[in-house]
């Protein structure tokens, strides 16, 4: 586990950019946190770090937005709207095995469809009212690949 403090959106995106440089095909990142905690903001930094110069917005009509112009494909899934139905029979594994990087906002709504190994990033807002831009990023790895990724990121963040 790795905990990182962020004092604003730029800092959250800077962490995401450093992570992006370490990503490999079929990597999976789960983003957890309340509404407005910064999941999409983080994804924007990740996209920039993958050299995708396209404005990343949350998928509105679709569940998934795909970006193919960067170092690796980026599949941005926001599955909030699957709260009631779940994600069975939607072919989501095509993204997870699709040779790109998959980022999932609200992964708890597709818990049954998720691969066993991933990097989870929880964005926690500060309790203090005058601390609008403070976030705590708590990163947890499941599986060897993601343990390695996390330790590589820890080194990169110290550089
Ligand atoms: N340290 C920070 N890290 C990330 N975002 C921050 C930070 N401080 C302030 N913000 C702001 O918080 C908001 C986060 O919005 P964002 O859409 O990224 O949240 P989200 O977690 O994706 O929400 P949703 O669950 O609705 O999809 C943005 O307006 C961003 O500028
Ligand atoms: Mg979002």
């Amino acid at each position: 586990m790795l905990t990182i403090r962020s004092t604003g959106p730029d800092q959250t995106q800077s962490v995401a950019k450093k992570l992006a440089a370490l990503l490999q095909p079929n990597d999976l990142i789960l983003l957890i946190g309340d509404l407005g905690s910064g999941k999409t903001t983080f994804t924007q930094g990740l996209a920039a770090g993958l050299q995708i110069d396209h404005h990343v917005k949350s998928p509105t009509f679709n569940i998934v937005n795909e970006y193919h112009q960067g170092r690796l494909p980026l599949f941005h899934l926001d599955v909030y709207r699957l709260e009631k139905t779940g994600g069975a029979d939607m072919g989501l594994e095509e993204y997870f095995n699709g040779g790109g990087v998959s980022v999932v906002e609200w992964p708890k709504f597709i818990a049954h469809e998720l691969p066993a190994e991933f990097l989870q990033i929880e964005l926690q807002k500060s309790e203090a009212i005058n601390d609008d831009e403070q976030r705590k990023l708590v990163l947890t790895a499941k599986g060897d690949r993601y343990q390695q990724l996390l330790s590589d990121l820890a080194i990169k963040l110290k550089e």
Side-chain angles (χ1 to χ4, degrees):
M1 200 175 87
L2 177 67
T3 302
I4 304 165
R5 281 183 193 285
S6 164
T7 54
D10 292 351
Q11 205 180 347
T12 297
Q13 292 187 338
S14 145
V15 173
K17 278 184 201 166
K18 287 181 176 156
L19 176 63
L22 301 169
L23 293 173
Q24 297 174 3
N26 293 333
D27 276 347
L28 172 61
I29 296 168
L30 307 184
L31 297 178
I32 319 251
D34 294 343
L35 290 167
S37 58
K39 301 179 294 298
T40 300
T41 301
F42 187 93
T43 308
Q44 288 164 346
L46 207 69
L50 290 171
Q51 288 106 45
I52 295 165
D53 56 0
H54 210 271
H55 184 65
V56 170
K57 295 182 288 187
S58 237
T60 41
F61 296 109
N62 315 318
I63 297 294
V64 188
N65 279 347
E66 299 186 29
Y67 303 90
H68 290 276
Q69 53 275 80
R71 181 175 71 81
L72 291 169
L74 174 66
F75 307 127
H76 179 204
L77 292 81
D78 183 335
V79 300
Y80 189 77
R81 273 169 299 129
L82 299 181
E83 177 174 12
K84 302 244 156 52
T85 57
D89 306 321
M90 291 190 62
L92 294 176
E93 65 286 347
E94 280 179 37
Y95 295 106
F96 303 140
N97 306 319
V101 172
S102 295
V103 176
V104 185
E105 298 189 36
W106 297 102
K108 66 178 176 185
F109 297 135
I110 56 163
H112 299 295
E113 282 70 45
L114 290 172
E117 302 193 347
F118 47 77
L119 180 67
Q120 173 181 302
I121 304 176
E122 179 171 359
L123 293 110
Q124 300 174 352
K125 283 195 194 180
S126 166
E127 307 271 293
I129 337 151
N130 58 351
D131 248 5
D132 248 19
E133 303 219 311
Q134 295 284 336
R135 301 287 188 276
K136 199 160 91 179
L137 277 56
V138 183
L139 290 76
T140 321
K142 282 273 165 63
D144 292 346
R145 155 69 190 138
Y146 297 97
Q147 295 288 354
Q148 184 64 51
L149 180 60
L150 200 50
S151 43
D152 291 347
L153 178 65
I155 293 166
K156 223 177 159 60
L157 288 168
K158 286 191 197 126
E159 284 170 1

